[in-house]
Amino acid sequence: MSDRETATGVIGLVQEFVNTIDLQDGPDELADSGTLKAWLVARRLLDEADAVGDADYRHAIALREAMRGVIGANSGLPAYPLDLATLNEAAAASKLRMRFGADGRPRLEPEARGVVGAMGRLVATLYVAMQEDDWTRLKLCGRQACRWAFFDRSKNHSSRWCTMASCGNREKARRFRTRAVTSSG
Ligand SMILES: [Zn+2]
């Protein structure tokens, strides 16, 4: 949906990865290992020469949902141990190391190559994004069926839906119906 708010920079990359699937209406941009590879190569996270297998694909999809999980903390949701374990495993498998680059600045880089390294780069991106002041503006839509990662540009950080027009109104209508049923029963 084009009217949903997007972030830029590292927060934007995390948001873009998580939102490669629209859980409510589809589609999934990362439908198979081929589309996953194209997505990673286009963002310079993976070399064109690297192969992406079915197991790699399943890891990437699990990592995507683990990232969605930790974004939920910005919407008041608890951190789930499974999500944290998935993130920790991706970081460990890729052998993330702190390294000073040619510009004299430190960054986290994976020692592992291929898709495992690419997953490490995504975890490192998440780590950097979480240090940014705007990180807490990245939230999950409060509509359970949606859970889209949106960037809350409201002054007091009070937005709860990816868009008021779609999820906000649908959720209000659902709650109204629930109340109506409860009070008539
Ligand atoms: Zn939504």
Side-chain angles (χ1 to χ4, degrees), residues 18-131:
V18 167
N19 286 345
T20 47
I21 186 167
D22 186 328
L23 293 172
Q24 187 161 235
D25 301 314
D28 188 349
E29 270 183 66
L30 309 181
D32 51 37
S33 55
T35 49
L36 169 65
K37 176 173 174 173
W39 194 92
L40 293 170
V41 169
R43 282 150 193 85
R44 298 167 182 241
L45 298 165
L46 185 72
D47 275 352
E48 183 71 55
D50 289 323
V52 179
D54 288 344
D56 299 323
Y57 175 74
R58 285 194 298 276
H59 284 146
I61 298 307
L63 186 64
R64 180 172 69 181
E65 292 317 306
M67 285 195 181
R68 192 190 309 278
V70 293
I71 294 168
N74 293 338
S75 298
L77 299 169
Y80 293 99
L82 180 64
D83 291 338
L84 303 178
T86 301
L87 289 165
N88 283 334
E89 278 165 28
S94 68
K95 301 190 174 68
L96 279 184
R97 297 274 191 271
M98 194 274 281
R99 183 164 263 140
F100 285 89
D103 58 358
R105 293 167 61 100
R107 53 178 67 90
L108 282 175
E109 284 179 3
E111 284 187 5
R113 303 178 61 90
V115 192
V116 177
M119 293 303 109
R121 288 194 183 91
L122 283 169
V123 174
T125 303
L126 175 67
Y127 174 81
V128 176
M130 286 176 131
Q131 318 297 315

Side-chain angles (χ1 to χ4, degrees), residues 4 24 141-143 146-148 150 160-163 166-168:
R4 286 160 155 173
Q24 187 161 235
C141 178
R143 186 171 160 82
C146 178
R147 302 181 76 231
W148 185 262
F150 71 98
R160 294 170 59 199
W161 323 107
C162 63
T163 61
S166 61
C167 289

